[in-house]
Amino acid sequence: MHRSTASPTLPTGRTLGLSLALVSAFAFGGSGTAAKPLIEAGLSPLHVVWLRVTGAAVALLPIAYRHRDAVLRRPGLLIGFGLLAVAGVQACYFAAISRIPVGVALLIEYLGPPLLIGYVKFVQRKPISRGAAIGAGVAVAGLACVVEVWNGLSFDALGVLFALGAACCQVGYFVLADAGRRGERPVDPLAVSAFGLLIGAVLLTVFTRPWQADWSALGGSVVMNGHTLPALLPAAWMILIATVLAYLTGVIAVGHLSPPVAGVVANLEAVVATVLAWVLLGEHLGLPQIAGGLLVLTGAFAAQTGKPAAVKPAKAADAAGAPDAGGTPDAGGTPDAGGAPGSPERVAAER
């Protein structure tokens, strides 16, 4: 029933996963470009986030109703996805782009994978490979170039902090999307997206108080790089393409590819967003930002594809001892039920 658990070694499954991941990256990449004119027209960043998430949640209500049993099966997973992967990522990102360029905000957000590496090594005391550590270092060096630390942060410091918050929440997107298809009670990825957006909309409603916003701005016009167009046009794109399509395809892609591979493809979002912001918003980046962006993407790629050094020996040692309640390892060396499925430890091991 849950096709997302099919083996990614099948050519059709992997091809579908890569295709969906590419669609998701391109769709997500246009969110900031569509949202920024609305923010400049008078809507606050949080109210634009609320519009985006709530509009997408309403569009996905039929899917949520069809998979309503997921609320009882994995409530913690759905709440976590709504809190981190939806409300957290979007609120921090939109707050960031209200203060710094879209491309810079996304490049900082894609420090998420190196942050996961650091969490595993320094908090959970898990070993990581030299390649993963180098990749994280390269990404941090790229961030230093993007924000021009030698000039004392030429970009707004609070905007940079918001972007870093989005990076932390982005880790939860891949971890929880992968966790949904594991365990004894897997949840359909469509349900994860639908309920995640619905829960995110409820959370954002409490904090943003949308009834206090001046929504008349949606009936007017916005300016994109000197061109005037109806405000409803970027709003519709932001809801239907950059949210509904992006989340549905992204979560399904993780099931076919695994979080590391899906995360690598998702890095294209930063490139797409930067190019779109350059063309549609006139946000030109200097040479340090372009060079730093390339370093961030390179470092994120290396960090996600590096495999922790001592994972296999540790599993082999466990297999040699008396089996515990987690069961015996399968052919791939992963216990059938040992450890928390989709936990940061397991995802980090895959990375």
Side-chain angles (χ1 to χ4, degrees):
M1 177 179 178
H2 298 279
R3 299 182 183 275
S4 59
T5 60
S7 173
T9 59
L10 293 174
T12 54
R14 187 171 183 83
T15 300
L16 175 61
L18 286 171
S19 300
L20 292 175
L22 285 170
V23 171
S24 179
F26 277 85
F28 269 128
S31 62
T33 304
K36 193 152 189 173
L38 299 175
I39 296 174
E40 294 175 345
L43 291 175
S44 71
L46 284 180
H47 286 143
V48 175
V49 173
W50 179 87
L51 174 65
R52 176 186 184 184
V53 173
T54 303
V58 171
L60 293 180
L61 276 178
I63 293 178
Y65 179 78
R66 180 180 179 183
H67 297 279
R68 56 191 180 277
D69 62 316
V71 176
L72 299 178
R73 297 169 67 189
R74 302 286 293 277
L77 170 75
L78 300 179
I79 292 174
F81 193 86
L83 178 63
L84 294 176
V86 177
V89 170
Q90 304 308 329
C92 289
Y93 173 59
F94 277 39
I97 66 172
S98 70
R99 310 180 73 94
I100 60 178
V102 170
V104 174
L106 258 182
L107 291 171
I108 297 174
E109 180 184 339
Y110 272 89
L111 282 174
L115 286 177
L116 179 57
I117 295 292
Y119 174 81
V120 171
K121 179 174 176 60
F122 297 110
V123 178
Q124 297 184 336
R125 308 285 184 178
K126 301 287 185 179
I128 62 172
S129 71
R130 180 179 299 178
I134 292 175
V138 170
V140 172
L143 171 61
C145 293
V146 170
V147 300
E148 294 184 350
V149 292
W150 53 86
N151 288 332
L153 280 177
S154 62
F155 289 114
D156 183 272
L158 186 58
V160 172
L161 287 177
F162 279 130
L164 285 172
C168 294
C169 292
Q170 189 208 45
V171 174
Y173 172 83
F174 292 106
V175 172
L176 294 172
D178 182 62
R181 66 189 181 94
R182 299 183 181 276
E184 298 179 355
R185 295 177 296 174
V187 178
D188 191 292
L190 296 179
V192 174
S193 296
F195 279 104
L197 288 165
L198 185 59
I199 292 170
V202 172
L203 292 172
L204 288 171
T205 299
V206 174
F207 291 102
T208 62
R209 301 175 184 177
W211 52 86
Q212 296 181 351
D214 181 14
W215 297 108
S216 62
L218 293 178
S221 300
V222 295
V223 178
M224 296 184 70
N225 200 19
H227 300 283
T228 302
L229 65 158
L232 286 177
L233 186 59
W237 179 276
M238 179 182 66
I239 293 171
L240 299 178
I241 304 300
T243 309
V244 173
L245 179 63
Y247 271 99
L248 290 180
T249 53
V251 172
I252 296 174
V254 173
H256 284 284
L257 296 176
S258 81
V261 178
V264 169
V265 179
N267 285 332
L268 289 173
E269 177 190 342
V271 179
V272 173
T274 302
V275 172
L276 288 178
W278 195 321
V279 174
L280 299 179
L281 300 180
E283 293 184 349
H284 298 281
L285 301 180
L287 183 59
Q289 283 77 52
I290 295 175
L294 293 175
L295 285 176
V296 170
L297 295 180
T298 301
F301 180 90
Q304 290 181 91
T305 54
K307 183 177 290 186
V311 171
K312 289 187 177 179
K315 290 184 177 180
D318 291 340
D324 57 14
T328 58
D330 58 20
T334 304
D336 292 334
S343 64
E345 299 97 324
R346 183 165 183 169
V347 174
E350 292 178 359
R351 293 177 186 274

